[in-house]
Amino acid sequence: MLDLFPLVVLLPLLGFLHNGLLKDRIPHRFAGAIGTLAVFIPFLITLGAFNEFRPMERTAPHLVPVFDWIVVGNFKSSFGYQIDQLSLYMTLIITGIGSLIHLYSMGYMKGNAGYNRFFAYLNLFIFCMLNLVLSDNLVLTFLGWEGVGLSSYLLIGFDYDKSSAAEAGMKAFILNRIGDVGFILGTGFLFWLGGSLQYLQLQTNLSEMGEFANYANIVALFFFVAAMGKSAQIPLYVWLPDAMAGPTPVSALIHAATMVTAGIFLIARLNFVFLLAPETSLFIAIIGAVTALFAATIGTLQNDIKKILAYSTVSQLGFMFLAMGSMSYVAGLFHLMTHAFFKALLFLGAGSVIHALHHEQNIKHMGGLFGKIKITSFTFLLGTLAIAGFFPFSGFFSKDLILEKAYTYGAFGSILWTMGIVAAFFTSFYMFRLVFVVFFGKDNTDSHHKVHESPWSMTLPLVILATGAVVAGFLQTPHFFLHIDALERFFAPVLSKGYELASLHGTLAEHKSLVHDVELSLAGFSVCIATIGLILAFFLYQRKPSPILEEHTGFRKILFHKYYIDEIYDFLFVRPFLFLSRGVAFFFDTKILDRFFLGIGGSFGVIANGLRRLQSGFIGDYALYVVIGTFCILVYLLTRGV
Amino acid sequence: MNQFISGIPVAYILGLAGILFSIGVLGVLIRRNIVIIFMSVELILNSVNLVFVTFSKALSHISGETIVFFVMAIAAAEAAVGLALVIAIFRHKKSTNVDELQSMRW
């Protein structure tokens, strides 16, 4: 199956071309099937390749060079794929969850006029994302990186006749561009220092170069800026909640499970750089923890079901960055995977609810749905338990591993841990608020329409994802429960070289050792926190719905308005920029530049108009000019003296 | 420098050349018949030739006369081409009046 591996990348591209070029000529059912198969077959191939690769034993990656792209001097960039534990892991998530979401979309998008276009975009996205994770060099990764940005823009603005959707697409695109500057600068720096763009080559080149540690912080910082944009971290997170203007499957696929985790992937891929950059790593951990906490608090008072989940995604990505910053890449990648399961599940569940209620997204107009849409509500509940971190759902294992690693991380460990645990409390609270209001509370639905369960194409993915959300955590468990470390051993070949490199120069940020009893009490504490969140939500929203969170005064008003961050950005950046642009466009350009250049053109016109009167067509006139000219020259020569 | 050529003062000959030249120029400028204009041009050329020959003789130097031969050869060629053009134009326009030949203006 490793021989067939290029097909994994090729099939989504073919699917995109097919659906994109023939979008007006093929029936919807056919386009949906093609689009789904173009992701599902690669999933099967990847599974086969995974089996053949033997990731637990093999240490060297399998390289698949396709063709050289740019060769200038010693700069070489090629289309080549690097199959190793990390890229296989990501590919399985992308194609696996991707095909479920494609299947779901076949039901969800039924009757939409842009059905075929939607599937073309989705396949384009998968193609770009696979290039991003499978590439063996930074340039191809960047190509995928930009490609997913483009697909995200297209999909967010899918309903392009709605101006809110078009604006949200633009916002996402522009904020991502800010991050991409970091990517380009980082790539340039790495090429300058390491003399290559291939990951493997870079790894060996940098290990031979002792003084790289001096530059590691700045290179790492550049790449982190890129990750900030793509993975929606403070201060570049504001696009993600707005991205919910896209269709719900898009939110699940791109803005929860795959694209937004590209930042995490990038850090893991460049772990040999980040391990040498302890200061930047600490910064990443702090940003991650702050983002986790910040977004979780916003999530508590939102009323749009998708917005709540979007802030939850920002918050969970913060957790992942907390893990990456504390240099426990396994924990970050673990949470990436479990989050992909339960967040995709939650988004698709929300989509199913929206579908059932005929495009109602405000949770205040929902309620009492539990008995009416059984599969959706049951799977949604499982997803909520997973994200809130209840034992033994997947979220518990991954989040606890992150919190544990944060706790043992250097000097600031306990502070980071505290922020993480508070964020976890809010996570549990807002998720159960959502569950109680939507599924158990008073029925506020518009009773004109009959509430109906979604078709099997939508519920099947929900069931499969729910299964994943429940069991995925068992890949890596703490010592007091089964003590499995499969994931750590799985990633060891990818990460070990970086660790060697770092410890070689004595810069590895030391993790304090952890007594087993402390580990148990940390886990116990976080379960308690999650339970308190649940109980609080139960009392405030279920037993006796309290007005306390409906009135928005004081701090609650600030929270409800998301700390006014959008307004602040609007005031600080957007308005001055628009003002400046308008000034340039409508004053400087028309009044000054245009006048200047039109004036030059016009003056030549005036001169030419005068001169053309000389062209009378009378030969005698021309002869006279010659004589007058000759006379003038003679006079000049005679007066001046030859 | 010889002041006299065959007993005639150089200044006289130069004066004659000047008069011939002016008549030629005047002819080019004010006459309307294209054939007459042509003849005026020939007059200009001849006046110049006269000056060349005069100075050649006065300075006892051959180069002036050499140039005269060139001028005559070129004048002959010019007359041949020019007259051919005049005939072509006349066939086209049925006129030799230059004021009616002004199609090349703006």
Side-chain angles (χ1 to χ4, degrees), chain A residues 455-512:
Chain A
W456 71 268
S457 61
M458 288 166 70
T459 50
L460 180 67
L462 287 179
V463 172
I464 297 173
L465 285 172
T467 317
V470 173
V471 302
F474 288 93
L475 287 171
Q476 176 86 15
T477 58
H479 84 282
F480 56 82
F481 181 76
L482 298 175
H483 195 58
I484 303 169
D485 60 348
L487 215 57
E488 210 167 293
R489 281 187 290 125
F490 175 78
F491 279 119
V494 181
L495 300 173
S496 61
K497 204 150 182 202
Y499 278 113
E500 279 165 29
L501 211 67
S503 50
L504 209 68
H505 306 296
T507 52
L508 177 61
E510 283 213 22
H511 277 265
K512 287 183 286 188

Side-chain angles (χ1 to χ4, degrees), chain B:
Chain B
M1 189 174 121
N2 284 328
Q3 297 296 324
F4 296 94
I5 293 164
S6 308
I8 306 166
V10 170
Y12 283 20
I13 304 176
L14 292 182
L16 174 66
I19 291 164
L20 280 177
F21 186 87
S22 304
I23 292 171
V25 169
L26 213 59
V28 169
L29 286 183
I30 63 174
R31 295 309 291 260
R32 290 287 172 264
N33 190 319
I34 193 161
V35 181
I36 305 292
I37 290 176
F38 244 107
M39 286 163 64
S40 305
V41 171
E42 295 299 321
L43 210 56
I44 292 170
L45 290 172
N46 281 336
S47 80
V48 171
N49 279 346
L50 187 58
V51 173
F52 272 122
V53 172
T54 310
F55 278 114
S56 180
K57 204 78 174 152
L59 298 171
S60 308
H61 199 286
I62 198 76
S63 59
E65 287 177 39
T66 319
I67 288 174
V68 168
F69 281 111
F70 275 109
V71 173
M72 280 159 73
I74 287 165
E78 176 248 320
V81 174
L83 282 172
L85 282 173
V86 168
I87 290 165
I89 291 170
F90 181 75
R91 280 193 183 154
H92 193 63
K93 289 268 182 184
K94 303 287 174 221
S95 161
T96 55
N97 189 334
V98 286
D99 286 358
E100 289 167 24
L101 307 177
Q102 37 169 295
S103 55
M104 300 290 272
R105 57 169 192 158
W106 59 273

Side-chain angles (χ1 to χ4, degrees), chain A residues 504-557:
Chain A
L504 209 68
H505 306 296
T507 52
L508 177 61
E510 283 213 22
H511 277 265
K512 287 183 286 188
S513 56
L514 190 67
V515 194
H516 283 347
D517 293 350
V518 180
E519 188 181 9
L520 181 58
S521 45
L522 283 180
F525 189 66
S526 76
V527 172
C528 284
I529 281 288
T531 317
I532 294 172
L534 189 159
I535 293 170
L536 190 64
F538 178 74
F539 276 104
L540 287 178
Y541 290 98
Q542 180 63 26
R543 229 192 87 198
K544 185 169 158 288
S546 157
I548 181 170
L549 290 169
E550 304 308 325
E551 290 162 10
H552 300 124
T553 50
F555 188 64
R556 272 168 284 156
K557 190 173 174 194

Side-chain angles (χ1 to χ4, degrees), chain A residues 60-84:
Chain A
H62 177 81
L63 291 178
V64 185
V66 182
F67 61 88
D68 281 347
W69 182 28
I70 307 170
V71 183
V72 180
N74 61 345
F75 176 89
K76 189 177 151 210
S77 164
S78 56
F79 271 82
Y81 298 109
Q82 174 177 347
I83 302 167
D84 60 8

Side-chain angles (χ1 to χ4, degrees), chain A residues 61-63 80-91 130-138 141 183 190 197-200 202-203 262-274 324 329 333 491 493-495 498:
Chain A
H62 177 81
L63 291 178
Y81 298 109
Q82 174 177 347
I83 302 167
D84 60 8
Q85 283 82 354
L86 179 59
S87 59
L88 277 173
Y89 182 78
M90 292 300 290
T91 309
L130 288 175
N131 268 312
L132 198 168
V133 297
L134 284 167
S135 153
D136 72 345
N137 63 72
L138 274 163
T141 302
F183 197 118
L190 266 189
L197 288 169
Q198 259 205 313
Y199 296 121
L200 288 178
L202 270 175
Q203 221 165 26
I264 312 291
F265 165 80
L266 188 71
I267 294 179
R269 180 52 94 204
L270 294 173
N271 64 78
F272 53 92
V273 174
F274 281 85
M324 297 323 250
Y329 303 119
L333 291 166
F491 279 119
V494 181
L495 300 173

Side-chain angles (χ1 to χ4, degrees), chain A residues 306-318:
Chain A
K306 284 176 74 182
K307 281 261 167 80
I308 297 173
L309 293 176
Y311 279 105
S312 160
T313 302
V314 176
S315 168
Q316 297 300 311
L317 287 165

